[in-house]
Amino acid sequence: MAKESKKELILQVAIANFSKFGYENTNLDLIAKECAITKPAIYYHYKDKATLYQAVICSQFSKLAHIIEENTLEGDATNKLHNYIDTFGSFLISNPTFNAIFAREIASGGSTLPIPCVTFLARTLARLIQILEEGVEEGIFEKENPFMIQMMIVTTLTSYNTTKPLREKVLLVLEEKSKLPEVEFADIIDSLSKKIIKGLLC
């Protein structure tokens, strides 16, 4: 197996393990076993678990920041904000393991989030700030705290995408199930976008 393909395999197995067990409970021995390699083979590419975690999660945050910046260039502030939320949600749909890791980091206050990843996360917030400021300048949006809007987007989307098992348990004991239908994640993204934009309009 080529070195690069082995390195990629380690990343793929690692993100699945970090997603399932969290940073603290992820075991490099298990990752090595699932990759059918030795533990020293992991250390050849990544000096420790922290370095591996950084490689796994920072690559995802980097992709997210880049895609958001690319997809929010056209239209007025309303279009850009919709595209921002849609891109964020679509990325979580396409990367469920990252979604689970991100949700864990939010719940823990970013306790194991590497500093380089924070830099990429800050880029997404910076883009949101620009969009909101454009909206205020265009007379479309009321002035609002960007961090609050970001948290509404991030926590709603990561939570909805990771709490399906819990919602299913609730539905098992809920008498009036028809009042709480399961909604597709794509529809949640669209609904959230409409509600946030509506709340910001002048």
Side-chain angles (χ1 to χ4, degrees):
M1 184 181 289
K3 287 183 179 179
E4 192 59 35
S5 61
K6 184 180 290 186
K7 191 174 183 179
E8 184 60 33
L9 174 62
I10 293 169
L11 286 175
Q12 290 173 1
V13 173
I15 194 170
N17 276 264
F18 285 126
S19 169
K20 184 176 181 180
F21 304 114
Y23 177 79
E24 295 297 339
N25 295 319
T26 291
N27 188 296
L28 293 186
D29 289 308
L30 179 58
I31 292 175
K33 182 179 179 180
E34 291 181 11
C35 290
I37 60 176
T38 63
K39 193 173 179 181
I42 294 179
Y43 290 134
Y44 175 81
H45 296 286
Y46 307 99
K47 68 177 184 178
D48 52 26
K49 184 167 75 170
T51 305
L52 176 57
Y53 185 65
Q54 179 172 315
V56 163
I57 194 170
C58 283
S59 66
Q60 297 296 306
F61 275 115
S62 174
K63 289 176 187 175
L64 176 60
H66 180 70
I67 294 171
I68 282 178
E69 288 165 351
E70 276 195 336
N71 291 353
T72 56
L73 296 174
E74 303 296 330
D76 64 12
T78 301
N79 298 125
K80 290 175 181 177
L81 181 54
H82 171 77
N83 290 341
Y84 181 98
I85 297 169
D86 184 68
T87 300
F88 206 111
S90 297
F91 188 84
L92 296 181
I93 291 175
S94 301
N95 300 275
T97 49
F98 170 70
N99 186 110
I101 292 171
F102 197 6
R104 286 179 182 274
E105 287 293 351
I106 292 169
S108 70
S111 62
T112 56
L113 190 65
I115 293 300
C117 300
V118 176
T119 302
F120 290 121
L121 188 57
R123 271 176 55 184
T124 67
L125 178 59
R127 184 62 191 128
L128 178 62
I129 291 171
Q130 291 172 349
I131 293 169
L132 296 178
E133 287 178 347
E134 286 177 25
V136 172
E137 291 170 3
E138 293 168 5
I140 298 173
F141 294 156
E142 296 282 357
K143 192 171 181 62
E144 190 52 85
N145 186 321
F147 200 77
M148 185 187 75
I149 301 299
Q150 178 81 326
M151 286 301 96
M152 289 172 65
I153 297 167
V154 173
T155 56
T156 299
L157 296 181
T158 55
S159 296
Y160 193 83
N161 210 21
T162 56
T163 56
K164 185 174 181 178
L166 176 59
R167 295 197 304 275
E168 289 174 345
K169 289 179 181 179
V170 171
L171 281 173
L172 287 175
V173 296
L174 189 68
E175 293 182 6
E176 299 188 52
K177 294 185 175 69
S178 61
K179 292 186 178 180
L180 191 63
E182 183 65 20
V183 182
E184 292 296 323
F185 190 41
D187 294 327
I188 290 293
I189 297 169
D190 186 58
S191 177
L192 177 65
S193 176
K194 289 176 180 176
K195 284 178 170 59
I196 288 177
I197 291 171
K198 183 179 179 180
L200 287 168
L201 292 176
C202 294

